[in-house]
Each structure stands twice: as C-alpha cells, then as structure tokens.
Amino acid sequence: MLSDLDRTLFDTARFFDNIWEFASRTYGFDVEQERARAPEFFRYTGDLYDYRFFEHLRSSAGAAYDEADFIAKAQAKLGGTYLYDDITPEAIRLIDAIVTFGGEEYQSFKLSLCPELDGIDRHIVLQSKGEYIHDTFDRPSVLIDDKHLENEILPPATFIWIDRSTVAEGTLSDGYTIRSFDDLPAVLERIAH
C-alpha cells in the first residue's frame, strides 16, 4: 500500500503552527507576520504548490540562520510528535511506500520528525501522483490520500480517500472512503476481493 504524508499520516497543520513558533523563539521574529507571508514562498505545479519553507525561514531569520543547526534542534525538540493517533505500529506495517508531493528538502525534514516511519520507502515528487504511480510501480497498488485523487489514479492502482473531517464531504464512486486508519483493514479486505 502507498500512503500520502501530509494530512494523511502527518498532522501538517499542527506541525506548521509548531515549527513557526519554534523558529520565532529561535530567531526572534514575529510569528504571525511570517505565517502570513507563507504564500509568497509557494511554487505551483498545476493546482498543487510546493512550499519553500527553508527559503522562507532563511529570509525571516537573516544572518543568524544556520540550517543544519535549526534542523538538528527542531528534530531534538519536535521529533516523534506529528503522526495522527490512528497511525499505530499496525497501520505503519501496512505501508509499503510513502508518495508525497513537495520539495525534497521540506518533505525530508518533515519525514525526519517521524522516526516511526524509518525504513519505509519514500517517493518525494513534483508531479501528478497518478502519473508517478503509473510510471513507477509495476504491480497493482493502493494509494491512500486526503485529497480527492479518484480521477487521477489509474488502474490497476486503487484509490482510498481519507477524510479526517467530522463532516462528510462525500464518498468516492467505488465507496473507498475512510475517516481514520482504523477503518483501513476492512477497506483493504474489500479491495482484495
């Protein structure tokens, strides 16, 4: 099984809040002002964007910025705290690879804060996940993602939408929609048959 990272396994909103609080304490800038500037550092690929976090941080911190030092301190302070509660060891064992959209540096940084995911193959892409999966994986696969990619994922791959919201926004035409990874084994069983 293939899994997305952001908002699927990884609580990206909580991370974004925490990393900017940590950065503002480290470098002494106004966190709200910098959070508001984030869109200035988005680079779009179609409808998707790659957030150039380290470019933004470098711009905010100025001469005091030392990337390796910041990463090491962030890993020590914030590591191991961003997987959703339903990402248990049993759920992690179901994942063969992570396929995540974004820049290598930022996505690798977020993954470095998740030691529980060490050993899982990682694919960091700046293209359509559907095309990438079709071109890269030579056997039928399943992708779980928080974005509606139903029309992008081509057979023999199967798509599962994880909707972590409390209000249902709809379901996929084949019914493969879950609210948490706790629901995943039943859906995988349905797909297998």
Side-chain angles (χ1 to χ4, degrees):
M1 182 186 78
L2 311 176
S3 179
D4 174 51
L5 178 65
D6 290 296
R7 295 164 303 279
T8 300
L9 302 174
F10 187 84
D11 189 340
T12 308
R14 188 163 56 88
F15 163 76
F16 189 77
D17 289 344
N18 291 352
I19 200 64
W20 278 108
E21 287 292 334
F22 179 75
S24 73
R25 285 191 309 274
T26 302
Y27 298 111
F29 51 70
D30 182 298
V31 69
E32 293 308 318
Q33 180 180 349
E34 290 308 318
R35 286 171 45 104
R37 287 184 59 214
E40 295 174 29
F41 297 88
F42 292 176
R43 302 296 179 270
Y44 284 87
T45 302
D47 293 338
L48 301 174
Y49 66 87
D50 169 30
Y51 175 39
R52 306 291 177 95
F53 169 75
F54 288 105
E55 182 181 322
H56 184 176
L57 184 56
R58 191 174 303 111
S59 166
S60 304
Y65 180 66
D66 179 316
E67 188 167 306
D69 182 61
F70 177 81
I71 289 172
K73 288 178 179 173
Q75 289 169 329
K77 177 80 173 166
L78 303 174
T81 61
Y82 293 103
L83 295 182
Y84 288 106
D85 290 342
D86 61 327
I87 309 303
T88 62
E90 294 77 22
I92 291 169
R93 282 194 287 276
L94 296 173
I95 302 168
D96 298 308
I98 295 169
V99 180
T100 184
F101 179 89
E104 178 78 32
E105 186 178 33
Y106 187 45
Q107 295 305 98
S108 292
F109 174 55
K110 288 186 279 187
L111 283 161
S112 79
L113 298 176
C114 303
E116 307 91 337
L117 302 178
D118 286 351
I120 296 177
D121 195 23
R122 293 136 187 238
H123 301 259
I124 299 172
V125 302
L126 285 171
Q127 70 181 87
S128 154
K129 287 183 187 174
E131 290 173 9
Y132 183 82
I133 290 167
H134 185 265
D135 294 345
T136 304
F137 298 95
D138 58 357
R139 59 188 173 98
S141 56
V142 173
L143 172 69
I144 181 168
D145 201 303
D146 70 297
K147 286 175 249 15
H148 265 288
L149 301 178
E150 177 181 24
N151 296 325
E152 183 180 315
I153 305 303
L154 305 171
T158 302
F159 178 63
I160 300 173
W161 178 42
I162 185 164
D163 177 9
R164 291 186 177 278
S165 71
T166 57
V167 178
E169 297 177 13
T171 59
L172 299 178
S173 60
D174 59 14
Y176 300 141
T177 303
I178 62 174
R179 295 257 177 245
S180 83
F181 266 70
D182 296 335
D183 302 328
L184 189 58
V187 172
L188 291 174
E189 181 70 23
R190 284 176 47 212
I191 291 170
H193 291 20

